[in-house]
């Protein structure tokens, strides 16, 4: 499949699915978490597809690689916050295993994208 836009990337599509799921789950968090963990989890989730899109729109492979790395960091943040919500027994987090299945898949996809981009970079000559 030819890629015309970041929207054509499977990794972006899965990241968007994860973000939608996070928003659905955080709707049932306690009201006291509305501007705390729920908000932080939503922002971290949104960061993943946003960074994939921004990196894809950049002019250099090195820039794209940097944004993929940021997306990977945001994914780790999302996983940590999902685990914390589960440990705190927040409503809605019953889907933790399903969310982790998606985060695992997305992590593999981001790793694959990162390796693909790294292979496009010319190796640095040895001094």
């Amino acid at each position: 499949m030819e890629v015309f836009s970041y929207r054509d990337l499977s990794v972006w599509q899965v990241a968007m699915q994860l973000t939608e799921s996070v928003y659905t789950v955080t709707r049932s968090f306690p009201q006291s978490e509305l501007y705390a963990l729920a908000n932080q989890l939503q922002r971290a989730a949104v960061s993943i597809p946003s960074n994939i899109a921004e990196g894809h729109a950049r002019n250099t492979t090195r820039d794209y690689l940097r944004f993929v790395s940021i997306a990977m960091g945001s994914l780790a943040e999302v996983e940590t916050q999902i685990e914390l919500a589960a440990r705190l027994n927040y409503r809605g987090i019953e889907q933790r295993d399903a969310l982790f299945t998606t985060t695992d898949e997305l992590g593999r996809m981001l790793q694959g994208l990162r390796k693909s981009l790294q292979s496009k970079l010319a190796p640095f000559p040895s001094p």
Side-chain angles (χ1 to χ4, degrees), residues 11-35:
V11 67
W12 180 84
Q13 294 168 8
V14 172
M16 289 295 289
Q17 291 169 0
L18 174 64
T19 303
E20 288 178 56
S21 296
V22 163
Y23 268 81
T24 299
V25 165
T26 56
R27 280 189 198 119
S28 62
F29 277 19
Q31 187 67 27
S32 63
E33 288 296 344
L34 184 60
Y35 300 106

Side-chain angles (χ1 to χ4, degrees), residues 83-94:
E83 179 61 29
L84 178 59
R87 289 181 183 202
L88 295 172
N89 296 313
Y90 285 172
R91 291 182 312 274
I93 206 64
E94 299 86 14

Side-chain angles (χ1 to χ4, degrees), residues 71-123:
M72 292 175 78
S74 294
L75 179 61
E77 188 176 352
V78 165
E79 290 173 331
T80 299
Q81 293 161 358
I82 290 168
E83 179 61 29
L84 178 59
R87 289 181 183 202
L88 295 172
N89 296 313
Y90 285 172
R91 291 182 312 274
I93 206 64
E94 299 86 14
Q95 302 97 326
R96 179 184 76 170
D97 291 341
L99 289 169
F100 280 155
T101 297
T102 305
T103 61
D104 289 346
E105 176 187 5
L106 185 54
R108 285 190 299 277
M109 294 173 86
L110 285 168
Q111 283 283 28
L113 178 56
R114 184 170 82 173
K115 285 181 182 181
S116 174
L117 292 171
Q118 286 173 331
S119 73
K120 292 180 181 183
L121 295 175

Side-chain angles (χ1 to χ4, degrees), residues 5-6 15 24 34 39 42 47 52 64 66-67 69-70 75 80 85 88 94 103 105 113 125-126:
S5 164
Y6 62 86
T24 299
L34 184 60
N39 181 263
Q42 291 168 354
S47 176
I52 293 166
Y64 193 1
R66 184 169 59 88
F67 281 94
S69 292
I70 294 168
L75 179 61
T80 299
L88 295 172
E94 299 86 14
T103 61
E105 176 187 5
L113 178 56
S126 298

